[in-house]
Amino acid sequence: MSLNTDPNFFTPGKRYFRAFSPGDDFYEALIDMHRDLSDEQSAMANARLILLLANHIGDISVLREAMKVAREGV
Amino acid sequence: MLSTYQYPKFEYRRPPEIAEGREGGGGRYPVVVVGAGPVGLTAAIDLAIHGVPVVLLDNDDTVSIGSRGVCYAKRALEIMDRLGCAEEMVAKGVSWNVGRTFFREQEVFNFNLCPEPDHHRPGMINLQQYYLEEYLVRRAQSLPEIDLRWKNNVIAVSDQGDRVALRVETADGAYSIETDWLVVADGARSPIRHMMGLDIEGKIFMDRFLIADVVMKADYPTERWFWFDPPFHPNQSVLLHRQADNVWRIDFQLGWNVDPEEEKQPEKVIPRIKAMLGWHANEEREFELEWVSVYTFQCRRMHEFRHGRLLFTGDAAHQVSPFGARGANSGIQDTDNLVWKLKLVLDGTAPARLLDTYSEERVAAADENLMNSTRSTDFITPKSATSRTFRNAVLGLAKDYPFARALVNSGRLSVPSVLVESPLNTPDTEVFAGNMVPGAPMDDAPVDSTRGEKWLLQAAGNRFLLLYCMPDAGDVDAATADACTALAAGAIPVETLVVAERGTAPAGLGTLIDVKGRVRERYDLKPGTCYLIRPDQHVAARWRSLDAAKVRAALARATCNA
Ligand SMILES: Cc1cc2nc3c(=O)[nH]c(=O)nc-3n(C[C@H](O)[C@H](O)[C@H](O)COP(=O)(O)OP(=O)(O)OC[C@H]3O[C@@H](n4cnc5c(N)ncnc54)[C@H](O)[C@@H]3O)c2cc1C
């Protein structure tokens, strides 16, 4: 499998009528996760989140691809 | 400053209560609307079209002053069509569908509001709010049911249980009137909300925006342009829109720690605009300021929109930040939802409980509007360093990666809510594809009718409708035609329109020819499929075959008569 960079967010069982809604649901939850955290705490939360998601994805070739894209742009 | 617009001054007339010496009371009306902004005017026109006499009170004598609403969305235009006023608006306004978003120097994303062909109205028009109101006033003045009273200031309101009593102040003194129902459309500050001691809850965004209307000749395409962190206004956002008469709307985000009075001064504003135009066109372009203001925005709503005999609509009931153009657009949808219900209640064919569903349905819609405009505001003005990092990461990825483009949020522009949770819907019992679920506002499509209608939405509205699909309209059998005739003769009439590829329906039934097959496609029609449509062009129920008993049950449910 290769890295999927097309829109891919959904909520099981939820019907969306507007294309922008699932991505916005995700983004709001992401920003909410950081509410009231200091910058340092946020950085730690982000690191933990990446580790959890990386394990969930599992396929290290996909992860390497994502890491490459992430690093290239900064 | 230069003015491209001559503000009309509407004439105050001595109200009949004062002229006839009935200042103390006696005047009793079925409906009074307070506030002749876009929402109150729309409500009054809609009531008049439903044959309800209405008194419309406004404490001013002109249209909206300065820079306010610009973008009117497809659904609002479809409602204006139903009220007979969209044509002028679309003719004067600037139609557009494409929005472009820039991050620093580069375009990262663009969207098309109306990617599907074969809709009557465009995704959006841009039109100064004063024109919108001027056209609505003209329409209202042409309707004999509307008694429009300028410079009539409502100073007291009390709900008497079986009626509402109002005290109104004029240059000739004060007078009292009574009404069965009061539609409150007196704007964001809503004096009536205060008089009734009612709360509105939400939050104010800690940011200021410079809103400039500028007159200039420019050949930029008619698109919405939004910049995040542009070189000419670093770390902030800028929005550009074309309006009628070569007037351009420019919004500059300023941050919280600026002095609004100072920022409004031409010597501050002009260099900002010059920097922007210079960056874009690389040339000196002549322009003049038409209007400049500095705004802060809030997102809040009342807990309920019905309070006894008072029905709150528009900004009086809810306010959003303007990035989704969801203010007037949603207020207009409030009255679209309210008026047919009020008409049935006034007629005695539906219980007052139907008006609670106005609140339920429009509170749900307001929450969707608040959610979307809050999300846009949070994306545009991040509240923490982490939030800003994520925002800039999204913008940085957007150029190359489609998933990130979908996350770019420079305003989710007004689209109508699908009222999926409404108690007025009859849930599906059969399988349908597509989005025309119970509670959905109808999708438009080209048609041809014997009455000359060219669009499906022109054929719908202002009454309950049964759309019945039959490839050859002449094939509708006698028993079905009789059942439809009986539906049309009920206490709440349901008119049947046969959606067909060809032929003419039996007498008493209308025919819509689905000229491009879009109705079939968008509504997943098969022979025998029927849709029950509300007077506000929302789907109430649908079936794969016509059973008059089921239609009656769904009609009862949609009108709280079940
Ligand atoms: C900068 C800006 C940009 C915007 N852009 C958009 C946009 O692009 N699209 C959009 O849809 N919306 C937009 N809006 C929002 C839009 O302007 C409002 O949502 C809209 O005007 C609300 O209409 P209304 O009829 O509810 O209230 P108002 O327009 O506020 O009208 C209320 C009326 O009530 C009258 N009144 C008040 N008190 C009394 C009283 N006691 N007695 C009698 N009369 C009274 C007032 O004189 C006024 O005429 C924008 C707003 C701003 C500020």
Side-chain angles (χ1 to χ4, degrees):
Chain A
M1 225 185 84
S2 65
L3 181 68
N4 181 3
T5 56
D6 286 328
N8 189 35
F9 294 109
F10 62 93
T11 307
K14 179 164 173 182
R15 178 166 188 170
Y16 285 102
F17 291 93
R18 310 290 173 200
F20 57 77
S21 298
D24 285 2
D25 279 357
F26 156 72
Y27 196 81
E28 183 183 77
L30 178 67
I31 301 304
D32 265 1
M33 181 190 86
H34 290 279
R35 179 174 301 152
D36 301 329
L37 298 186
S38 68
D39 291 351
E40 213 170 309
Q41 289 170 322
S42 277
M44 180 52 79
N46 277 337
R48 291 162 62 100
L49 180 65
I50 291 167
L51 294 171
L52 287 162
L53 296 177
N55 176 64
H56 182 86
I57 292 160
D59 183 336
I60 296 166
S61 61
V62 171
L63 292 167
R64 283 189 200 283
E65 218 183 316
M67 289 181 216
K68 184 164 164 283
V69 170
R71 192 182 161 91
E72 263 168 13
V74 294
Chain B
M1 293 199 210
L2 183 82
S3 189
T4 56
Y5 183 74
Q6 194 72 41
Y7 286 90
K9 195 168 158 61
F10 303 117
E11 195 192 341
Y12 161 78
R13 288 197 201 86
R14 182 188 289 251
E17 282 76 9
I18 291 180
E20 293 157 20
R22 295 183 283 118
E23 294 90 339
R28 173 85 183 248
Y29 301 92
V31 184
V32 171
V33 178
V34 182
V39 178
L41 283 161
T42 307
I45 294 167
D46 209 347
L47 284 159
I49 281 172
H50 281 85
V52 179
V54 47
V55 177
L56 175 54
L57 304 173
D58 193 274
N59 58 8
D60 202 0
D61 62 356
T62 188
V63 292
S64 170
I65 307 272
S67 309
R68 293 180 76 203
V70 178
C71 304
Y72 299 98
K74 182 166 179 292
R75 179 63 198 151
L77 294 173
E78 289 164 353
I79 295 167
M80 292 301 162
D81 264 326
R82 187 171 63 69
L83 305 182
C85 1
E87 216 54 67
E88 272 184 303
M89 295 171 187
V90 175
K92 181 77 192 176
V94 176
S95 295
W96 64 277
N97 286 307
V98 173
R100 295 187 193 281
T101 302
F102 304 86
F103 179 43
R104 299 186 178 137
E105 318 259 333
Q106 278 186 327
E107 178 177 338
V108 290
F109 168 68
N110 62 64
F111 60 80
N112 188 335
L113 292 173
C114 209
E116 250 185 24
D118 295 326
H119 286 260
H120 186 198
R121 294 306 178 190
M124 281 282 173
I125 63 162
N126 286 355
L127 182 69
Q128 294 90 316
Q129 187 162 331
Y130 40 71
Y131 279 118
L132 181 90
E133 292 186 16
E134 183 187 320
Y135 300 155
L136 287 169
V137 169
R138 201 177 301 156
R139 178 78 173 124
Q141 285 171 335
S142 76
L143 295 164
E145 293 84 355
I146 299 179
D147 176 355
L148 176 42
R149 302 183 185 181
W150 301 105
K151 289 277 183 199
N152 276 239
N153 188 28
V154 175
I155 52 169
V157 171
S158 65
D159 190 340
Q160 311 276 324
D162 61 343
R163 73 212 126 97
V164 181
L166 299 176
R167 189 82 182 151
V168 186
E169 201 174 52
T170 71
D172 293 311
Y175 63 95
S176 297
I177 47 170
E178 292 180 345
T179 179
D180 292 347
W181 300 97
L182 184 70
V183 176
V184 183
D186 57 354
R189 293 199 187 91
S190 187
I192 295 180
R193 203 178 59 223
H194 288 288
M195 289 173 207
M196 302 299 292
L198 296 168
D199 285 338
I200 182 160
E201 279 160 39
K203 61 176 174 185
I204 187 164
F205 290 104
M206 305 292 273
D207 211 328
R208 297 186 202 277
F209 291 84
L210 173 72
I211 312 278
D213 283 324
V214 168
V215 191
M216 67 177 174
K217 287 229 172 1
D219 44 12
Y220 307 147
T222 45
E223 299 172 340
R224 174 190 198 260
W225 286 359
F226 193 100
W227 287 267
F228 289 100
D229 192 11
F232 54 86
H233 191 55
N235 297 318
Q236 308 281 19
S237 65
V238 177
L239 173 62
L240 174 73
H241 265 299
R242 176 188 212 138
Q243 309 175 78
D245 302 334
N246 289 319
V247 177
W248 297 74
R249 164 71 54 89
I250 312 174
D251 297 11
F252 291 95
Q253 184 194 356
L254 297 176
W256 183 242
N257 295 318
V258 294
D259 178 347
E261 280 312 309
E262 201 179 300
E263 290 297 336
K264 270 198 293 207
Q265 301 310 314
E267 57 271 25
K268 286 282 273 192
V269 177
I270 287 169
R272 288 199 192 285
I273 296 173
K274 277 197 168 149
M276 169 182 171
L277 297 175
W279 176 80
H280 178 74
N282 225 341
E283 64 186 80
E284 288 267 313
R285 192 180 286 282
E286 288 194 17
F287 65 88
E288 287 200 62
L289 298 179
E290 173 154 283
W291 198 275
V292 177
S293 30
V294 174
Y295 282 98
T296 53
F297 297 114
Q298 35 199 0
C299 275
R300 48 183 203 163
R301 73 158 167 88
M302 294 176 75
H303 191 60
E304 277 165 4
F305 297 170
R306 177 183 175 202
H307 286 268
R309 293 186 166 265
L310 276 67
L311 301 149
F312 288 83
T313 61
D315 275 13
H318 47 75
Q319 293 135 44
V320 293
S321 75
F323 291 106
R326 289 168 181 261
N329 280 305
S330 68
I332 289 165
Q333 292 171 62
D334 289 344
T335 66
D336 183 46
N337 187 292
L338 172 62
V339 166
W340 67 270
K341 295 176 180 174
L342 198 47
K343 163 72 175 163
L344 294 183
V345 171
L346 283 163
D347 285 352
T349 48
R353 146 99 190 102
L354 184 59
L355 297 171
D356 290 333
T357 72
Y358 158 68
S359 185
E360 289 158 30
E361 292 185 336
R362 292 312 298 169
V363 160
D367 281 345
E368 191 176 315
N369 287 318
L370 287 165
M371 180 184 81
N372 280 301
S373 63
T374 302
R375 285 173 170 183
S376 301
T377 311
D378 285 344
F379 194 89
I380 293 165
T381 66
K383 303 296 176 293
S384 69
T386 304
S387 182
R388 179 174 293 272
T389 304
F390 272 117
R391 203 276 308 268
N392 289 348
V394 167
L395 291 169
L397 288 164
K399 192 159 169 27
D400 296 319
Y401 302 100
F403 89 97
R405 289 202 268 286
L407 294 175
V408 174
N409 189 344
S410 68
R412 301 300 190 199
L413 290 154
S414 176
V415 277
S417 295
V418 181
L419 306 170
V420 278
E421 302 291 341
S422 171
L424 303 185
N425 299 340
T426 297
D428 282 341
T429 51
E430 290 144 309
V431 177
F432 284 85
N435 278 343
M436 290 297 100
V437 301
M442 290 174 78
D443 263 351
D444 205 359
V447 297
D448 226 332
S449 86
T450 40
R451 283 186 292 214
E453 289 128 345
K454 295 286 174 211
W455 297 95
L456 180 58
L457 288 181
Q458 289 174 340
N462 301 330
R463 73 250 190 252
F464 275 93
L465 200 64
L466 191 70
L467 295 177
Y468 179 46
C469 171
M470 205 30 75
D472 186 330
D475 287 346
V476 176
D477 62 57
T480 305
D482 286 347
C484 294
T485 312
L487 285 170
I492 300 174
V494 178
E495 184 184 322
T496 301
L497 291 178
V498 180
V499 180
E501 289 159 31
R502 58 188 176 276
T504 306
L509 281 59
T511 308
L512 289 179
I513 301 298
D514 185 12
V515 285
K516 290 194 167 177
R518 296 288 189 201
V519 189
R520 177 169 41 79
E521 186 184 301
R522 289 176 185 161
Y523 291 75
D524 186 24
L525 297 182
K526 301 198 170 108
T529 299
C530 48
Y531 276 74
L532 180 66
I533 305 290
R534 303 179 355 178
D536 59 4
Q537 302 173 330
H538 282 62
V539 175
R542 54 184 182 170
W543 306 271
R544 287 296 182 193
S545 58
L546 199 164
D547 174 341
K550 285 186 182 167
V551 177
R552 278 196 194 88
L555 177 68
R557 187 171 179 136
T559 54
C560 288
N561 280 312

mmCIF file of all heavy atoms in Angstrom, chain B residues 54-83:
data_model
loop_
_atom_site.group_PDB
_atom_site.id
_atom_site.type_symbol
_atom_site.label_atom_id
_atom_site.label_comp_id
_atom_site.label_asym_id
_atom_site.label_seq_id
_atom_site.Cartn_x
_atom_site.Cartn_y
_atom_site.Cartn_z
ATOM 1 N N VAL B 54 -50.418 41.974 6.976
ATOM 2 C CA VAL B 54 -49.328 42.110 7.935
ATOM 3 C C VAL B 54 -48.937 43.570 8.106
ATOM 4 O O VAL B 54 -48.911 44.338 7.147
ATOM 5 C CB VAL B 54 -48.125 41.219 7.506
ATOM 6 C CG1 VAL B 54 -47.800 41.380 6.049
ATOM 7 C CG2 VAL B 54 -46.881 41.494 8.322
ATOM 8 N N VAL B 55 -48.691 43.944 9.362
ATOM 9 C CA VAL B 55 -48.155 45.270 9.661
ATOM 10 C C VAL B 55 -46.661 45.111 9.890
ATOM 11 O O VAL B 55 -46.236 44.282 10.702
ATOM 12 C CB VAL B 55 -48.812 45.868 10.923
ATOM 13 C CG1 VAL B 55 -48.182 47.226 11.257
ATOM 14 C CG2 VAL B 55 -50.316 46.013 10.722
ATOM 15 N N LEU B 56 -45.862 45.892 9.150
ATOM 16 C CA LEU B 56 -44.404 45.820 9.265
ATOM 17 C C LEU B 56 -43.896 47.147 9.823
ATOM 18 O O LEU B 56 -44.086 48.195 9.207
ATOM 19 C CB LEU B 56 -43.800 45.532 7.883
ATOM 20 C CG LEU B 56 -42.266 45.539 7.740
ATOM 21 C CD1 LEU B 56 -41.593 44.602 8.727
ATOM 22 C CD2 LEU B 56 -41.880 45.157 6.310
ATOM 23 N N LEU B 57 -43.283 47.094 11.013
ATOM 24 C CA LEU B 57 -42.847 48.304 11.706
ATOM 25 C C LEU B 57 -41.328 48.420 11.656
ATOM 26 O O LEU B 57 -40.623 47.444 11.932
ATOM 27 C CB LEU B 57 -43.266 48.242 13.181
ATOM 28 C CG LEU B 57 -44.754 48.035 13.455
ATOM 29 C CD1 LEU B 57 -44.978 47.812 14.953
ATOM 30 C CD2 LEU B 57 -45.566 49.231 12.961
ATOM 31 N N ASP B 58 -40.831 49.616 11.326
ATOM 32 C CA ASP B 58 -39.385 49.830 11.372
ATOM 33 C C ASP B 58 -39.101 51.213 11.937
ATOM 34 O O ASP B 58 -39.795 52.173 11.601
ATOM 35 C CB ASP B 58 -38.748 49.687 9.986
ATOM 36 C CG ASP B 58 -37.232 49.584 10.072
ATOM 37 O OD1 ASP B 58 -36.557 50.630 10.100
ATOM 38 O OD2 ASP B 58 -36.721 48.450 10.131
ATOM 39 N N ASN B 59 -38.091 51.309 12.780
ATOM 40 C CA ASN B 59 -37.827 52.596 13.433
ATOM 41 C C ASN B 59 -36.966 53.539 12.586
ATOM 42 O O ASN B 59 -36.634 54.624 13.014
ATOM 43 C CB ASN B 59 -37.198 52.398 14.826
ATOM 44 C CG ASN B 59 -35.904 51.609 14.769
ATOM 45 O OD1 ASN B 59 -35.395 51.327 13.688
ATOM 46 N ND2 ASN B 59 -35.381 51.250 15.927
ATOM 47 N N ASP B 60 -36.610 53.101 11.386
ATOM 48 C CA ASP B 60 -35.778 53.920 10.514
ATOM 49 C C ASP B 60 -36.592 54.266 9.254
ATOM 50 O O ASP B 60 -37.750 53.874 9.136
ATOM 51 C CB ASP B 60 -34.513 53.117 10.166
ATOM 52 C CG ASP B 60 -33.374 54.015 9.729
ATOM 53 O OD1 ASP B 60 -33.555 55.244 9.702
ATOM 54 O OD2 ASP B 60 -32.312 53.469 9.396
ATOM 55 N N ASP B 61 -35.969 54.959 8.297
ATOM 56 C CA ASP B 61 -36.708 55.241 7.062
ATOM 57 C C ASP B 61 -35.832 55.071 5.829
ATOM 58 O O ASP B 61 -36.041 55.705 4.807
ATOM 59 C CB ASP B 61 -37.328 56.644 7.094
ATOM 60 C CG ASP B 61 -36.282 57.740 7.203
ATOM 61 O OD1 ASP B 61 -35.079 57.418 7.323
ATOM 62 O OD2 ASP B 61 -36.667 58.921 7.184
ATOM 63 N N THR B 62 -34.820 54.198 5.959
ATOM 64 C CA THR B 62 -34.019 53.914 4.774
ATOM 65 C C THR B 62 -33.522 52.476 4.841
ATOM 66 O O THR B 62 -33.971 51.703 5.699
ATOM 67 C CB THR B 62 -32.871 54.940 4.625
ATOM 68 O OG1 THR B 62 -32.233 54.733 3.368
ATOM 69 C CG2 THR B 62 -31.840 54.813 5.750
ATOM 70 N N VAL B 63 -32.610 52.134 3.922
ATOM 71 C CA VAL B 63 -32.097 50.763 3.864
ATOM 72 C C VAL B 63 -30.825 50.667 4.711
ATOM 73 O O VAL B 63 -30.396 51.652 5.303
ATOM 74 C CB VAL B 63 -31.816 50.372 2.402
ATOM 75 C CG1 VAL B 63 -33.108 50.267 1.615
ATOM 76 C CG2 VAL B 63 -30.876 51.388 1.741
ATOM 77 N N SER B 64 -30.219 49.496 4.723
ATOM 78 C CA SER B 64 -29.002 49.249 5.502
ATOM 79 C C SER B 64 -27.886 50.203 5.094
ATOM 80 O O SER B 64 -27.554 50.326 3.922
ATOM 81 C CB SER B 64 -28.573 47.804 5.258
ATOM 82 O OG SER B 64 -27.308 47.569 5.797
ATOM 83 N N ILE B 65 -27.306 50.872 6.073
ATOM 84 C CA ILE B 65 -26.257 51.864 5.808
ATOM 85 C C ILE B 65 -24.876 51.207 5.909
ATOM 86 O O ILE B 65 -24.626 50.430 6.822
ATOM 87 C CB ILE B 65 -26.318 53.005 6.851
ATOM 88 C CG1 ILE B 65 -27.718 53.611 6.922
ATOM 89 C CG2 ILE B 65 -25.237 54.053 6.600
ATOM 90 C CD1 ILE B 65 -28.008 54.720 5.968
ATOM 91 N N GLY B 66 -24.006 51.549 4.975
ATOM 92 C CA GLY B 66 -22.604 51.145 5.090
ATOM 93 C C GLY B 66 -22.342 49.725 4.617
ATOM 94 O O GLY B 66 -23.098 49.166 3.835
ATOM 95 N N SER B 67 -21.228 49.151 5.119
ATOM 96 C CA SER B 67 -20.772 47.849 4.647
ATOM 97 C C SER B 67 -21.390 46.738 5.473
ATOM 98 O O SER B 67 -20.972 46.498 6.594
ATOM 99 C CB SER B 67 -19.256 47.736 4.799
ATOM 100 O OG SER B 67 -18.600 48.834 4.239
ATOM 101 N N ARG B 68 -22.357 46.069 4.919
ATOM 102 C CA ARG B 68 -22.869 44.883 5.630
ATOM 103 C C ARG B 68 -22.903 43.734 4.640
ATOM 104 O O ARG B 68 -21.926 43.492 3.950
ATOM 105 C CB ARG B 68 -24.209 45.190 6.293
ATOM 106 C CG ARG B 68 -24.026 46.202 7.418
ATOM 107 C CD ARG B 68 -25.322 46.539 8.098
ATOM 108 N NE ARG B 68 -25.793 45.507 9.006
ATOM 109 C CZ ARG B 68 -27.071 45.368 9.363
ATOM 110 N NH1 ARG B 68 -27.982 46.181 8.886
ATOM 111 N NH2 ARG B 68 -27.425 44.425 10.196
ATOM 112 N N GLY B 69 -24.010 42.997 4.560
ATOM 113 C CA GLY B 69 -24.040 41.777 3.760
ATOM 114 C C GLY B 69 -23.617 41.992 2.311
ATOM 115 O O GLY B 69 -23.904 43.022 1.705
ATOM 116 N N VAL B 70 -22.919 41.009 1.792
ATOM 117 C CA VAL B 70 -22.459 41.042 0.410
ATOM 118 C C VAL B 70 -22.937 39.810 -0.358
ATOM 119 O O VAL B 70 -23.471 39.911 -1.458
ATOM 120 C CB VAL B 70 -20.913 41.036 0.348
ATOM 121 C CG1 VAL B 70 -20.451 41.023 -1.097
ATOM 122 C CG2 VAL B 70 -20.350 42.225 1.066
ATOM 123 N N CYS B 71 -22.726 38.633 0.232
ATOM 124 C CA CYS B 71 -22.912 37.387 -0.508
ATOM 125 C C CYS B 71 -24.273 36.776 -0.209
ATOM 126 O O CYS B 71 -24.583 36.485 0.941
ATOM 127 C CB CYS B 71 -21.850 36.377 -0.104
ATOM 128 S SG CYS B 71 -20.178 36.969 -0.310
ATOM 129 N N TYR B 72 -25.043 36.574 -1.228
ATOM 130 C CA TYR B 72 -26.330 35.915 -1.064
ATOM 131 C C TYR B 72 -26.276 34.592 -1.820
ATOM 132 O O TYR B 72 -25.929 34.553 -3.007
ATOM 133 C CB TYR B 72 -27.471 36.835 -1.501
ATOM 134 C CG TYR B 72 -27.422 38.056 -0.619
ATOM 135 C CD1 TYR B 72 -26.815 39.227 -1.036
ATOM 136 C CD2 TYR B 72 -27.831 37.972 0.707
ATOM 137 C CE1 TYR B 72 -26.651 40.302 -0.177
ATOM 138 C CE2 TYR B 72 -27.680 39.037 1.576
ATOM 139 C CZ TYR B 72 -27.090 40.192 1.131
ATOM 140 O OH TYR B 72 -26.913 41.237 1.996
ATOM 141 N N ALA B 73 -26.596 33.539 -1.103
ATOM 142 C CA ALA B 73 -26.349 32.187 -1.601
ATOM 143 C C ALA B 73 -27.526 31.669 -2.425
ATOM 144 O O ALA B 73 -28.638 32.189 -2.366
ATOM 145 C CB ALA B 73 -26.086 31.247 -0.434
ATOM 146 N N LYS B 74 -27.232 30.623 -3.149
ATOM 147 C CA LYS B 74 -28.199 29.990 -4.032
ATOM 148 C C LYS B 74 -29.547 29.737 -3.344
ATOM 149 O O LYS B 74 -30.594 30.063 -3.882
ATOM 150 C CB LYS B 74 -27.596 28.669 -4.497
ATOM 151 C CG LYS B 74 -28.415 27.874 -5.473
ATOM 152 C CD LYS B 74 -27.542 26.784 -6.081
ATOM 153 C CE LYS B 74 -28.320 25.944 -7.035
ATOM 154 N NZ LYS B 74 -29.339 25.120 -6.354
ATOM 155 N N ARG B 75 -29.517 29.196 -2.138
ATOM 156 C CA ARG B 75 -30.789 28.870 -1.476
ATOM 157 C C ARG B 75 -31.586 30.140 -1.172
ATOM 158 O O ARG B 75 -32.798 30.159 -1.334
ATOM 159 C CB ARG B 75 -30.539 28.054 -0.201
ATOM 160 C CG ARG B 75 -31.807 27.698 0.560
ATOM 161 C CD ARG B 75 -32.755 26.796 -0.248
ATOM 162 N NE ARG B 75 -34.111 26.800 0.293
ATOM 163 C CZ ARG B 75 -35.234 26.604 -0.414
ATOM 164 N NH1 ARG B 75 -35.163 26.362 -1.717
ATOM 165 N NH2 ARG B 75 -36.405 26.644 0.153
ATOM 166 N N ALA B 76 -30.901 31.200 -0.741
ATOM 167 C CA ALA B 76 -31.615 32.454 -0.483
ATOM 168 C C ALA B 76 -32.221 32.989 -1.779
ATOM 169 O O ALA B 76 -33.350 33.497 -1.793
ATOM 170 C CB ALA B 76 -30.673 33.482 0.135
ATOM 171 N N LEU B 77 -31.503 32.833 -2.872
ATOM 172 C CA LEU B 77 -32.030 33.306 -4.163
ATOM 173 C C LEU B 77 -33.240 32.477 -4.583
ATOM 174 O O LEU B 77 -34.190 33.000 -5.172
ATOM 175 C CB LEU B 77 -30.944 33.231 -5.237
ATOM 176 C CG LEU B 77 -29.764 34.179 -5.020
ATOM 177 C CD1 LEU B 77 -28.660 33.903 -6.037
ATOM 178 C CD2 LEU B 77 -30.218 35.637 -5.100
ATOM 179 N N GLU B 78 -33.204 31.189 -4.280
ATOM 180 C CA GLU B 78 -34.353 30.341 -4.621
ATOM 181 C C GLU B 78 -35.584 30.759 -3.807
ATOM 182 O O GLU B 78 -36.713 30.744 -4.302
ATOM 183 C CB GLU B 78 -33.995 28.868 -4.381
ATOM 184 C CG GLU B 78 -32.988 28.363 -5.424
ATOM 185 C CD GLU B 78 -32.288 27.054 -5.064
ATOM 186 O OE1 GLU B 78 -32.462 26.550 -3.936
ATOM 187 O OE2 GLU B 78 -31.535 26.540 -5.909
ATOM 188 N N ILE B 79 -35.346 31.169 -2.563
ATOM 189 C CA ILE B 79 -36.460 31.666 -1.747
ATOM 190 C C ILE B 79 -36.959 32.990 -2.334
ATOM 191 O O ILE B 79 -38.165 33.220 -2.449
ATOM 192 C CB ILE B 79 -36.021 31.823 -0.278
ATOM 193 C CG1 ILE B 79 -35.691 30.442 0.313
ATOM 194 C CG2 ILE B 79 -37.097 32.528 0.537
ATOM 195 C CD1 ILE B 79 -34.958 30.486 1.647
ATOM 196 N N MET B 80 -36.027 33.845 -2.736
ATOM 197 C CA MET B 80 -36.407 35.112 -3.362
ATOM 198 C C MET B 80 -37.200 34.870 -4.650
ATOM 199 O O MET B 80 -38.111 35.620 -4.970
ATOM 200 C CB MET B 80 -35.175 35.957 -3.658
ATOM 201 C CG MET B 80 -34.492 36.470 -2.413
ATOM 202 S SD MET B 80 -35.632 37.496 -1.436
ATOM 203 C CE MET B 80 -34.808 37.497 0.143
ATOM 204 N N ASP B 81 -36.874 33.809 -5.360
ATOM 205 C CA ASP B 81 -37.661 33.440 -6.543
ATOM 206 C C ASP B 81 -39.098 33.119 -6.162
ATOM 207 O O ASP B 81 -40.040 33.536 -6.820
ATOM 208 C CB ASP B 81 -37.055 32.193 -7.212
ATOM 209 C CG ASP B 81 -36.132 32.551 -8.366
ATOM 210 O OD1 ASP B 81 -36.412 33.541 -9.061
ATOM 211 O OD2 ASP B 81 -35.140 31.829 -8.561
ATOM 212 N N ARG B 82 -39.233 32.369 -5.086
ATOM 213 C CA ARG B 82 -40.573 32.004 -4.629
ATOM 214 C C ARG B 82 -41.365 33.257 -4.269
ATOM 215 O O ARG B 82 -42.590 33.304 -4.411
ATOM 216 C CB ARG B 82 -40.446 31.058 -3.419
ATOM 217 C CG ARG B 82 -41.745 30.455 -2.944
ATOM 218 C CD ARG B 82 -41.534 29.375 -1.892
ATOM 219 N NE ARG B 82 -40.931 29.837 -0.652
ATOM 220 C CZ ARG B 82 -41.528 30.624 0.237
ATOM 221 N NH1 ARG B 82 -42.750 31.055 0.019
ATOM 222 N NH2 ARG B 82 -40.896 31.012 1.335
ATOM 223 N N LEU B 83 -40.665 34.293 -3.791
ATOM 224 C CA LEU B 83 -41.324 35.537 -3.389
ATOM 225 C C LEU B 83 -41.399 36.546 -4.529
ATOM 226 O O LEU B 83 -41.885 37.656 -4.347
ATOM 227 C CB LEU B 83 -40.566 36.168 -2.209
ATOM 228 C CG LEU B 83 -40.380 35.269 -0.985
ATOM 229 C CD1 LEU B 83 -39.660 36.025 0.119
ATOM 230 C CD2 LEU B 83 -41.721 34.767 -0.480
#
